[in-house]
Every structure is written in structure tokens, then in C-alpha cells.
């Protein structure tokens, strides 16, 4: 297992329960937007890359013929199985494993998706190429992830904070780079839609597992960002709380 993979498994084993129960992760409106924007149909076979606790797989399984999830972290797949069983879903299956390479034959799925995972990948371009490889022709590839600011300083500040808050974080990409991933993997030019995942700092930190010495640094970074939005996260103070928003881009392209 690579060093990055080990960090991912460590972080997401600890995050499995809070991640699976997170209001933001379970947001039905956001899940519905993802499914609808992907143009999913009852004939689709879906693959969710880095599926976490199976929330996206379950959302697609309600619409599609079949949905498959793959994730590196066994604890996440355990949560995914529990979630699907609780919903009575029988048109799903799960794989524990890395995404480079994806353990599937060429052109195996008509719809290949990934949500909130690309900022963890050391080589997102390679993952995108794998997603395109296992997608049918015609088919669709869909990615939803944090979109860093187009301002390099704000993007760098966001990524510094996120690497402290979650050591498995690699880099959130700006929208232009996310678009380039698609085109460079051979897809059509992607279309995009956007929304925010809103939270408060205390709630965010309650589901995070940074090094103890970094907690104060993270809180100071958010406090300092209130005046000028120094993280590109629309931070603002409300009473004794700091409110924040993760900017999310959803991109979909035909293959």
C-alpha cells in the first residue's frame, strides 16, 4: 500500500461513522442534483469511484439498473453495505480496492461517477483516464468535487488548511483544471453546475481528525479568513460561530 493510500485508509477508517451520518453528505437535494445532472436512466449501469459509505451508489440504484461502488477503505464499504441493506437495495455491489487501476474491464459501465474524492487523489488525471476507460461508448463520466478559487493565493490557502484538517487531502483543483481532466482523458467538453456545502467550524472540526497541534492553527486560519475571505470559503462570523461554505462543482461529459 502506498503512503498516500495508507493515510487515506487511516483517515477514512476514523471518519467512516461521522461521514456516513453527516447531514451534508446525506443531503437529498445534493444527491438528487447529482443523479439528475448525470442524466441517469433505468438502463444505466453505474460505477461510483471512491464510493465512501455508499450514499451516491444508493441514490443511483434507485434510478439505474445496477450500481457498483469501489473504495479503498474497508470501514467505508462496511457502512455502504449497511446503508444499502437498510434501504432494501438489491441492485448494488461493492469492491474494496484502489482506483489505479480500476479492477474492471474496458467499457464496463455506462455511467462512471465520483463525488468528493478527486481532492484526495495524488494523480487525478490518471484516475480520470481510468474512469473514461471503463465507461461505455456512448456513456457519461461525472465528477463532483471541491472547486478551489481561480485566485492562486486563495486556492493555496484552502489547500494548506485542508491538508492540516485532513492529512489525506492532496489538492482541490480550480474549475479550469477540473475541466481539463475530462478533455485530456478524451471526453467531450464537460457541462457544469454548482452548489455550496455549508457548515460551521465547530461541526467541521468535530468530524475531522487533524494532528492535535494543528487544531489551533486551523481555527486561526478560519478566523483570519473572515475579514477578507482568505480561504475562498465565504467564511463569516455569526455570534460565537464561524460559518463556511465548500464550493462544489459538478461536471458531466459524454464519452
Amino acid at each position: 500500500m502506498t503512503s498516500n493510500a495508507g493515510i487515506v485508509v487511516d483517515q477514512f477508517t476514523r471518519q467512516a461513522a461521522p461521514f456516513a451520518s453527516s447531514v451534508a453528505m446525506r443531503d437529498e437535494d445534493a444527491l438528487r442534483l447529482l443523479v439528475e445532472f448525470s442524466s441517469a436512466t433505468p438502463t444505466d449501469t453505474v460505477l461510483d469511484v471512491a464510493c465512501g459509505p455508499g450514499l451516491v451508489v444508493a441514490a443511483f440504484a434507485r434510478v439505474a439498473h445496477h450500481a457498483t461502488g469501489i473504495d479503498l477503505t474497508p470501514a467505508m464499504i462496511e457502512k455502504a453495505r449497511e446503508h444499502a441493506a437498510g434501504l432494501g437495495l438489491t441492485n448494488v455491489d461493492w469492491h474494496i480496492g484502489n482506483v489505479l487501476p480500476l479492477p474492471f474491464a474496458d467499457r464496463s459501465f455506462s455511467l462512471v461517477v465520483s463525488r468528493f474524492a478527486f481532492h484526495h487523489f495524488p494523480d487525478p488525471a490518471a484516475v480520470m483516464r481510468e474512469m473514461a476507460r471503463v465507461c461505455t461508448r456512448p456513456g457519461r463520466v461525472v465528477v463532483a468535487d471541491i472547486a478551489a478559487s481561480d485566485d492562486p493565493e486563495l486556492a493555496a490557502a484552502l489547500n494548506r488548511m485542508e491538508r492540516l484538517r485532513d492529512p489525506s487531502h492532496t489538492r482541490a483543483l480550480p474549475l479550469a483544471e477540473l475541466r481539463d481532466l475530462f478533455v485530456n482523458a478524451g471526453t467531450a467538453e464537460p457541462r457544469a453546475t454548482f452548489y455550496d456545502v455549508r457548515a460551521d467550524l465547530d461541526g467541521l472540526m468535530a468530524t475531522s481528525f487533524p494532528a492535535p497541534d494543528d487544531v489551533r492553527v486551523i481555527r486561526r486560519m478560519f478566523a483570519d479568513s473572515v475579514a477578507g475571505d482568505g480561504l475562498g470559503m465565504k467564511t463569516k462570523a455569526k455570534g460565537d460561530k464561524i460559518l463556511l461554505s465548500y464550493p462544489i462543482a459538478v461536471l458531466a461529459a459524454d464519452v
Side-chain angles (χ1 to χ4, degrees):
M1 183 178 289
T2 66
S3 176
N4 176 263
I7 293 170
V8 169
V9 171
D10 174 68
Q11 281 289 310
F12 280 98
T13 297
R14 290 190 277 175
Q15 292 181 34
F19 195 92
S21 60
S22 164
V23 172
M25 298 304 102
R26 299 178 74 95
D27 184 332
E28 289 292 337
D29 289 338
L31 289 165
R32 187 178 306 108
L33 183 151
L34 181 64
V35 172
E36 292 178 353
F37 194 70
S38 74
S39 302
T41 72
T43 62
D44 275 316
T45 53
V46 182
L47 173 66
D48 182 14
V49 174
C51 68
L55 303 174
V56 169
V57 169
F60 276 99
R62 295 186 185 102
V63 175
H65 174 68
H66 191 274
T68 297
I70 182 169
D71 199 276
L72 184 62
T73 304
M76 283 292 190
I77 293 295
E78 182 179 347
K79 288 293 182 184
R81 293 184 192 277
E82 291 174 3
H83 181 60
L87 294 173
L89 296 172
T90 59
N91 61 333
V92 298
D93 68 278
W94 312 100
H95 297 260
I96 298 171
N98 213 323
V99 299
L100 283 178
L102 287 167
F104 306 107
D106 294 359
R107 306 188 181 190
S108 295
F109 304 92
S110 61
L111 179 54
V112 184
V113 305
S114 183
R115 184 177 80 145
F116 303 161
F118 262 66
H119 59 275
H120 294 291
F121 298 146
D123 190 349
V127 177
M128 179 63 77
R129 289 193 295 271
E130 278 295 282
M131 291 173 68
R133 177 185 66 79
V134 302
C135 190
T136 59
R137 307 303 194 263
R140 284 98 65 219
V141 173
V142 182
V143 170
D145 203 23
I146 304 167
S149 172
D150 292 333
D151 182 320
E153 290 188 7
L154 295 183
L158 168 66
N159 282 307
R160 281 196 302 273
M161 181 279 296
E162 282 289 278
R163 281 190 287 269
L164 292 175
R165 187 189 68 80
D166 177 359
S168 68
H169 179 94
T170 298
R171 180 171 174 256
L173 303 178
L175 181 60
E177 290 188 43
L178 287 170
R179 289 185 182 278
D180 285 346
L181 291 178
F182 282 80
V183 176
N184 292 339
T187 77
E189 183 73 28
R191 52 197 175 86
T193 190
F194 308 92
Y195 67 96
D196 287 341
V197 171
R198 296 181 175 86
D200 67 81
L201 181 56
D202 289 340
L204 179 66
M205 296 303 292
T207 59
S208 303
F209 299 91
D213 291 345
D214 290 333
V215 172
R216 182 180 298 180
V217 177
I218 296 164
R219 287 187 173 276
R220 173 51 56 191
M221 291 179 77
F222 274 101
D224 290 346
S225 75
V226 169
D229 194 23
L231 295 171
M233 298 180 70
K234 302 177 184 175
T235 49
K236 61 181 180 180
K238 185 176 182 180
D240 61 350
K241 293 185 177 295
I242 293 179
L243 307 182
L244 57 101
S245 296
Y246 282 92
I248 305 299
V250 185
L251 298 95
D254 294 330
V255 181

